[in-house]
Amino acid sequence: MRTILLFSGLYLILVLSSCSRSNPDTKQTQTDSTTVAMISEAKDDYTCPMHPSVHSDKPGACPICGMTLVKRLVQRTTSESDLQSIRAVSLSPTQRVIANVSTEPVKRQTLKKEITAVGVVDFAEPNQAKVSARFRGRIEKLYVSFTGEVVRKGQPLFDLYSPDLISAEQELILAVKAYNGSASNDMASDQQRMLQAARERLRIHFGMTNEQIVEIEQTKQLKSTMTFNSPISGTVIAKEVQEGQYVEEGMLLYQLVDLSRFWIYVEVYEKDIRFIKLGQSVGITTEAYPDELFKGQVTFIDPVINTDSRTIRIRTEFVNSAGKLKPQMYVKAVIQMVKGDALVIPASAVLSTGKRNVVWVEVKPNTFEPRVVTLGVHTDSQCEIMEGLNEGDVIVVTGGFIIDSESQLQQPSGALDEPRSNAIAHSEHKPVSAPEVQEIKITVDGAYTPEIVHVQKGKPVRMKFYREDNSECTKEVVFKSLNIRKALPSKKTTVIEFTPKQSGEIVFVCGEDMVRGKVVVK
């Protein structure tokens, strides 16, 4: 019996030894098969979509947030090793329905951005006029006697009596008589100069018209008063004189304003300055007429920012033909920016990781891949894509956070660290032996879009500036720390290359140091 047992034991050792010396490939195949079998026979795994670190072998609630735990299913069509290699996330149809994942293609369309601001109605400066006393005297008669009266251009305002006016008229009459009675040419020449001086004094100092001066010369009659007329058509907003009052030279008597056109000053936040341009349409509403929209346009952008409120004052102009707008009225303004042929996606598709913006793309049915994108103009519901996506790409609109949570389960190292699509894009366009170039596209349109870009230390940087506008401010770009100054022709792309040697920030500005951007070197 002992002999039999010893023989059996020796046979078992020989069998195990022969198995251990078998083909390594066969051993690896057996191991992979065993692994797959273990995955297939694994127990149910329940996890929280918001807290992937929570696991349970039975249904229940998340101990952190209270959400119902979701059963994690293993996708059989794609192995775990394949998922890791392509850095994508695969969901089963059931998981997709539970996560409420919806997709739509990327499209080119017109993007409209509205900037809201508050403002105050004010007089249009060119439509104002002040009437002052040109010489001292007494108000003999007022033709416009109260504030708020509407006058026409050339309409009489008041009559002013002055002894100085009478003296000037007498000098004119005497000069006329002396000129007419001069006997010789030399005398006539002297008398003509005196006559011309008398005329100029009445016209320049006393404000007489040529017709009034000719009438005095012809009639030889003195006028004890002079009538002053309204210089513009408008409304009297200030009356500083009474009939019979004595006035001094330069004293303000009337202030007139044409109320058919107003300037409205609105305050725009610093972050929205790059979207404001001269000639943009502006709509305003008031509390007095909440259902009525008044339309105007931007006519001036203040070059100085208010340091207290961090806003910039924008002047807009409106026609007030109906007379509904009143001075010092508060208004709510909406400035609309329209950008055509933009690559636009819903704002809900963008996930911000703090360092970058990511969009999940469906590369094949139920398999999703993260893409780092560069954003341009964005509104509450839409975002413009400057780089990272192409027209027709199918992106995740809702459920992106759930996919991100699932990526942490399938790829604990983090799917969003360096998406494969970006790595492929770099490798396909550059030789393996050449150093990797960090290429950045900047749109210049009253501002730099994007304003802040991130690069890595020691890697060459190629910045492509495309200038859409033709303003004097943005005609060149300056990197002061790099001693680079380069002209930016309108509607063309200008390339600037450099290699950052140390971490920190590199600031680039326009030629007038009003538009600024920043390169963050990590």
Side-chain angles (χ1 to χ4, degrees), residues 316-329:
T316 61
E317 189 169 328
F318 288 80
V319 176
N320 188 36
S321 56
K324 293 182 178 180
L325 295 177
K326 308 296 180 184
Q328 304 307 311
M329 179 181 285

Side-chain angles (χ1 to χ4, degrees), residues 290-507:
D291 299 328
E292 187 169 355
L293 180 66
F294 301 88
K295 293 185 178 180
Q297 64 179 4
V298 177
T299 57
F300 182 75
I301 302 174
D302 200 321
V304 180
I305 292 180
N306 187 322
T307 56
D308 295 328
S309 61
R310 305 307 302 174
T311 59
I312 189 169
R313 192 171 74 160
I314 307 298
R315 190 182 73 207
T316 61
E317 189 169 328
F318 288 80
V319 176
N320 188 36
S321 56
K324 293 182 178 180
L325 295 177
K326 308 296 180 184
Q328 304 307 311
M329 179 181 285
Y330 286 106
V331 301
K332 180 180 179 181
V334 177
I335 304 174
Q336 190 174 83
M337 187 214 71
V338 179
K339 188 168 186 180
D341 194 31
L343 202 63
V344 179
I345 65 172
S348 60
V350 181
L351 305 180
S352 179
T353 65
K355 295 182 179 179
R356 56 178 67 90
N357 297 307
V358 176
V359 174
W360 286 93
V361 180
E362 188 172 15
V363 293
K364 58 184 179 180
N366 294 330
T367 301
F368 305 92
E369 183 179 282
R371 300 274 181 86
V372 176
V373 297
T374 302
L375 302 182
V377 179
H378 54 87
T379 66
D380 292 338
S381 60
Q382 293 179 316
C383 292
E384 179 190 14
I385 298 298
M386 304 299 295
E387 194 173 23
L389 293 177
N390 299 315
E391 185 177 4
D393 288 345
V394 179
I395 61 171
V396 175
V397 179
T398 60
F401 284 104
I402 306 300
I403 297 178
D404 184 33
S405 299
E406 183 66 15
S407 72
Q408 302 301 321
L409 296 173
Q410 295 185 8
Q411 303 174 35
S413 60
L416 305 186
D417 292 341
E418 188 178 354
R420 173 180 175 270
S421 60
N422 289 6
I424 294 177
H426 286 293
S427 62
E428 288 178 347
H429 297 289
K430 298 175 183 63
V432 176
S433 58
E436 182 182 1
V437 178
Q438 304 170 91
E439 189 170 288
I440 301 167
K441 297 180 181 178
I442 304 290
T443 302
V444 183
D445 191 5
Y448 296 125
T449 304
E451 295 179 353
I452 301 175
V453 296
H454 297 266
V455 301
Q456 293 184 5
K457 181 181 68 174
K459 290 187 177 181
V461 177
R462 180 184 296 120
M463 299 186 69
K464 295 183 177 181
F465 289 84
Y466 179 78
R467 181 167 167 238
E468 290 189 349
D469 62 5
N470 57 358
S471 64
E472 285 294 318
C473 175
T474 59
K475 67 180 181 180
E476 62 180 355
V477 64
V478 180
F479 291 75
K480 296 181 180 179
S481 61
L482 303 178
N483 197 24
I484 296 176
R485 177 184 293 267
K486 205 162 189 179
L488 300 180
S490 181
K491 305 300 181 182
K492 293 184 179 180
T493 299
T494 304
V495 178
I496 296 177
E497 297 183 340
F498 60 90
T499 301
K501 301 299 183 182
Q502 58 185 3
S503 303
E505 295 181 354
I506 301 175
V507 177

Side-chain angles (χ1 to χ4, degrees), residues 132-139 158 160-161 240-242 244-253:
S132 303
R134 300 180 71 100
F135 50 88
R136 63 181 181 176
R138 182 179 68 246
I139 302 297
F158 60 92
L160 181 61
Y161 164 81
E240 307 293 343
V241 67
Q242 299 294 332
Q245 179 180 344
Y246 282 88
V247 296
E248 294 294 330
E249 181 178 341
M251 179 178 175
L252 178 64
L253 306 181

Side-chain angles (χ1 to χ4, degrees), residues 15-28:
V15 170
L16 291 177
S17 176
S18 64
C19 290
S20 63
R21 290 192 301 268
S22 61
N23 192 320
D25 295 336
T26 305
K27 178 180 179 181
Q28 181 64 38

Side-chain angles (χ1 to χ4, degrees), residues 45-56 62 64 72 401-410:
D45 182 17
Y46 293 86
T47 184
C48 176
M50 300 302 295
H51 301 89
S53 60
V54 175
H55 293 272
S56 176
C62 175
I64 300 176
R72 176 172 175 250
F401 284 104
I402 306 300
I403 297 178
D404 184 33
S405 299
E406 183 66 15
S407 72
Q408 302 301 321
L409 296 173
Q410 295 185 8

